[in-house]
Structure formats: structure tokens, C-alpha cells
Amino acid sequence: GLRFKSAPLTGMHSGVLINHREMPSQDDVRDSDGHNVRGEGLGCCGWTLVILSGILVMFSFPISIFFCIKIVKEYERAVIFRLGRVTSGRAKGPGLFFILPCTDSFVKVDLRTVSFNIPPQEILTKDSVTVAVDGVVYFRVLSAISSVINVSNADSCTRLLAQTTLRNVLGTKNLSELLSDREEISHSMQVTLDAATHSWGIKVERVEIKDVKLPLQLQRAMAAEAEATREARAKVIAAEGEMNASRALKEASLVIAESPSALQLRYLQTLTTIASEKNSTIVFPLPIDMLQTFLTKGKYSRSTTSEIL
């Protein structure tokens, strides 16, 4: 409402001061999202032109009906301007609507979700690595009136803003974060774009990072680092395997040492395994312990013979 402030004036009279900043304009009309748009304040000349246009339509009926009735599709809305002013607080459609051909004009707005590719952007990450990143953005018009009267070209402005937002957001990330936290980066971009385009009547639904292109030298360096890491891991695994095998062999040797016949059985098992492979030549190790018996017998027989002689 209006606020009145009384102020003393010179003499016996008192005046009234009006706070003009808090006076709402009679031409202000709010759209469906609460944004202020101009209303029906056409003035005397404007209403005179509107009445004359209506009379012209009546006299030229039914030919004028083809110029007065317009159709918009289910996914479209029409923002009507009468003598340059928005006629109502909401867009028309879908279906039929009526305009005056001489004083009214309208702009169709598509409410369907639109997607566009963000061109590859050369970005310097937080750890001073130059990468080329591109993405895709999905958005739709949430308020037809705001998208027409608040911005000259909502689609083009959203595309340019998406490019700058991509550079600004990724410039605060390290290369490792850029490669691993794509979902978090996409969500951060979506929130930033949605907040910036709200006054334009645009709703950014989704942002996705498509590809991260690294320099060729950096790719080679990362591949060499990954290969060295894999080789080091393979050597550690092989060393651990040999250590476990040596422990098992030690335990097996202790078991075999307790029973000499177990060693003979192990030799026979090895011979069976080698014979199953159909080899023409088989090299079988003969334990020295078995030869000692024959050697001792041979020495004993020789000493006996010498004594007899």
C-alpha cells in the first residue's frame, strides 16, 4: 500500500509527503513465477486504437476471423503483446486464442526440453594441467513470459553461460578430481546454471561432462606410470608367492626327514608323473644314500677276499 508521512510546513497549514519508492505501479503485473511484467496500462490513445481495431474486425467479419484466431500446440505457449505491452500475467495456450490483428502481436515459446553440446573448452586445472573438456546441457523454458521479456535470446544466452560456467567450475578442480568426480562436477554446474538462468525463465535440468582430452605427452607419462605401478605390484606378488612356496617346501622337507621311506615314495611319484608325458628319455635322480649300502658291501667283500688269500 501507500505510506503517508505528515510534515509541518511554514504557516498554519500542514502538508502530506508521499514515499514514491514504495508506491506500486498500476502497470505492474506478475507472471506465474511472481516476476513483474507490465499490464494493461494502455492510456486513452491505446484504448482508442484497441476499440478502432475491434470495430474494424467486426466490419470485416468473417474474413477477419482468419487473422484473429491463432493456434498453438500442446508444447507451445504464446506471449501476447498489445501495443507493445504484455496483455496478461500468463501465456496463452495450448489451443485457440484470440488477438486483434492491428494492435496485437505474439511470440511462440517452445516448452520442450532442449539439449546442446558445449564446445571443447581449453581449461587450466588447479594443478596447472591443460585439458580440453566438453559436455552436454539439458534445459527447458519454465516461464514463457520471462524468457521473452527478460532476455533477448534465452537459448543463445544459456549456451554462452554454460561455456563460461564450465571453465569457471573446472578451473577450481585438480586433474584427479576432474577424472574421478564427474558426477559432483556435473551437479555443481547444474546448480550454478539453474540459479543464473532462473530470472530468464529457464530451468536447467541436467549437465553432463562428455569427454576429457589430455595432452599426448601427459597420456604417455600417465601410461608409463601405470605400467611401472603394475610391474612393481607383479614383482611384489611374485616375491610373496616364492616366500610362501619356500615355507611350504621347508615344512615338506621336515616331514620327509622324519621318514626316509617317504622320500622313496616321492621319487616314485615323480617317475610316474614323468612317464605319463610319453618322453623317450627319463632322467631319474638316484639318491646317494641308496648307493652307500652297495659301496659298503663291496668294501666288505674285498676285505674278506684279501684275508682269505
Side-chain angles (χ1 to χ4, degrees), residues 115-121 123 132-138 159 162-163 166 170 182 186 189 206-212:
S115 64
F116 64 90
N117 293 322
I118 302 177
Q121 304 293 315
I123 298 171
V133 184
D134 58 352
V136 59
V137 178
Y138 300 88
R159 292 173 185 268
Q163 297 178 19
L166 179 65
L170 297 185
R182 291 193 178 188
S186 299
M189 287 188 57
R206 192 176 183 86
V207 179
E208 292 291 341
I209 302 298
K210 290 176 60 178
D211 190 16
V212 179

Side-chain angles (χ1 to χ4, degrees), residues 41-86:
L42 300 179
C44 296
C45 295
W47 282 112
T48 302
L49 293 176
V50 171
I51 293 173
L52 291 177
S53 179
I55 294 173
L56 179 62
V57 169
M58 293 177 61
F59 279 105
S60 60
F61 187 84
I63 298 176
S64 62
I65 198 67
F66 297 101
F67 301 96
C68 296
I69 295 179
K70 302 295 180 180
I71 301 175
V72 291
K73 299 179 182 179
E74 182 68 28
Y75 54 85
E76 293 177 338
R77 296 296 183 270
V79 180
I80 302 176
F81 294 91
R82 178 164 294 166
L83 297 178
R85 296 172 180 261
V86 179

Side-chain angles (χ1 to χ4, degrees), residues 182-194:
R182 291 193 178 188
E183 293 183 1
E184 182 180 354
I185 295 174
S186 299
H187 179 70
S188 177
M189 287 188 57
Q190 188 267 332
V191 172
T192 304
L193 283 174
D194 192 23

